[in-house]
Amino acid sequence: MELHHEFTVPVPVDDAWRALLDVERIAPCMPGATVDDYDGKTVTGSVKVKVGPITVTYRGTAVFEEQDESAHRMVLIASGKETRGQGTARATVTGTLGERDGGTAVSVRTDLTVTGRPAQFGRGVLAEVGDKLVGQFAECLARRLEEPTDRTEPPEPAEPLQPAQPVQPVQPIDLLRTAGPPVAKRVAIVAATAVLALVFVRIRRHRHA
């Protein structure tokens, strides 16, 4: 399935370009994602997706196949596989940046293929989830780009070391919560129908046994 999203960030296009290639800086803005390693071209990590009571973790890589700085165009090919299951996910993401009213407009086209449990929701649900996730990413990215990167004030006196705080686990992408009540209701109807069909099949098998 092909998805198309657009968002804007309040910085010049060259600044936005550098930021989007700074994977470690923007990683916290990626819902459900954990970056384990990045060598300038290949990203290795995982993405967690929650489907009702089930959490699915995909592990894989994303490779920058194209980084055209003059055209401000990048192509990213990502692929992953469920850590506990046979489901897979593969996406070719093409991002194009352009100037708009002093900021940057980002256009993202995604050619997505998903197998396994999340695939049961179909294009409509995944598109709505994608819209909201891109919106969350854009808001987070805008906040990060507005943060100063150079220190202009003298450093504060060093404080005694405090016990290390436990690292908070990355929260999975909750498909039902992210999609919203209307979509969740449709998904619930589909799920209920599937359960009833399964029960009916088992009853028939029991009767014929």
Side-chain angles (χ1 to χ4, degrees), residues 112-133:
L112 175 66
T113 302
V114 180
T115 66
R117 283 162 285 193
Q120 66 184 300
F121 298 119
R123 185 188 185 284
V125 173
L126 293 179
E128 292 188 46
V129 171
D131 289 342
K132 294 190 177 183
L133 293 179

Side-chain angles (χ1 to χ4, degrees), residues 128-174:
E128 292 188 46
V129 171
D131 289 342
K132 294 190 177 183
L133 293 179
V134 169
Q136 294 173 15
F137 173 79
E139 291 177 5
C140 177
L141 179 62
R143 290 195 301 269
R144 285 189 169 266
L145 290 177
E146 290 174 343
E147 294 174 355
T149 54
D150 295 324
R151 201 178 183 94
T152 57
E153 299 179 358
E156 297 180 359
E159 297 181 357
L161 293 177
Q162 300 295 326
Q165 297 296 321
V167 177
Q168 295 296 324
V170 173
Q171 294 300 312
I173 301 169
D174 191 328

Side-chain angles (χ1 to χ4, degrees), residues 21 23 37-45 60-67 74-80 90-94:
L21 292 179
V23 173
D37 186 54
Y38 177 52
D39 62 7
K41 182 177 180 180
T42 302
V43 184
T44 303
T61 60
V63 180
F64 282 98
E65 289 292 313
E66 181 182 332
Q67 295 180 15
M74 63 181 72
V75 178
L76 184 72
I77 297 180
S79 61
R90 180 177 174 82
T92 300
V93 183
T94 302

